[in-house]
Amino acid sequence: MNERERARRPGGRSARVAAEVHQAVTDLINERGYGNFTVGDVAARAGVADSSIYRRWGNLATLLTDVALTRLNAQSPMPDTGSLAGDLRTYAAQVAREITGPDGLALLRLAVALSSQGHQGQQAGDDLLAERTRQLQSMLDRAVERGEHAPDALGVVDHILAPMYVRVLLGIGPLTPEYVDGLVDRLL
């Protein structure tokens, strides 16, 4: 392969390996639950060497954090509809679809587990919350720039995300559009 051919493949093998490793983690969480697999299990499932995972992510906690952040960012980008109410409704609907989808429960379990597992896990949980808060804050800052009154980012977490997460984790009823919109209405 010459330089020109390589230049046309941004990501290439590296991106493919990362996607395969991420899917292996998600599958293992679905099948075994958090804490019931090793880097070796992930490597075997993804068809890569353990050393590839250690070289890229360093340890399992960092890999798990990367999986959670990547999935959250890919599946629930921050909308920009022109109004805070529209942004929050769109965002809440995206999150509801994400956490009730095929890997949604695994992603939630991963986020909860990362938040409650010792110092390294706590750091991973803090990183997840910090990244999501930063993203939410960008949406809220746009609303303030438009002259709208906006809650703080933790208000969105407490009043929109947390109730949906708890319902899914505990298997309490569906996340209907009416329920999700109601969460946004109560916050605003």
Side-chain angles (χ1 to χ4, degrees):
M1 179 185 307
N2 64 36
E3 287 299 316
R4 179 173 286 184
E5 288 172 357
R6 244 182 266 138
R8 284 189 220 145
R9 290 183 39 218
R13 177 171 162 33
S14 179
R16 189 173 60 253
V17 167
E20 290 167 356
V21 169
H22 281 209
Q23 189 59 52
V25 167
T26 303
D27 292 345
L28 286 165
I29 291 170
N30 274 327
E31 293 168 17
R32 301 182 189 177
Y34 176 83
N36 296 316
F37 57 89
T38 65
V39 167
D41 296 328
V42 173
R45 177 68 62 99
V48 300
D50 296 19
S51 59
S52 295
I53 293 175
Y54 285 115
R55 186 172 42 257
R56 184 168 187 155
W57 288 280
N59 58 50
L60 188 58
T62 302
L63 169 59
L64 296 174
T65 302
D66 185 51
V67 169
L69 283 171
T70 300
R71 295 288 301 275
L72 285 170
N73 292 339
Q75 295 179 10
S76 295
M78 292 298 122
D80 187 359
T81 66
S83 74
L84 180 58
D87 290 350
L88 287 173
R89 280 190 178 80
T90 301
Y91 175 69
Q94 288 172 345
V95 170
R97 277 190 305 277
E98 168 193 315
I99 64 176
T100 58
D103 295 328
L105 187 55
L107 183 61
L108 281 181
R109 287 179 176 153
L110 174 58
V112 168
L114 286 172
S115 297
S116 63
Q117 298 296 313
H119 174 70
Q120 194 172 30
Q122 184 60 51
Q123 182 60 49
D126 291 348
D127 291 348
L128 285 171
L129 180 59
E131 176 62 17
R132 191 43 100 190
T133 301
R134 184 192 65 72
Q135 293 171 346
L136 286 168
Q137 194 60 55
S138 69
M139 176 176 42
L140 299 170
D141 289 346
R142 279 196 315 268
V144 169
E145 289 169 9
R146 290 189 300 258
E148 296 178 89
H149 174 73
D152 63 18
L154 284 177
V156 175
V157 171
D158 288 342
H159 297 283
I160 296 175
L161 299 181
M164 290 194 296
Y165 289 1
V166 167
R167 279 182 168 242
V168 170
L169 285 168
L170 298 179
I172 304 171
L175 297 181
T176 65
E178 296 78 21
Y179 173 76
V180 173
D181 284 347
L183 293 173
V184 173
D185 292 342
R186 283 189 288 282
L187 175 63
L188 294 178

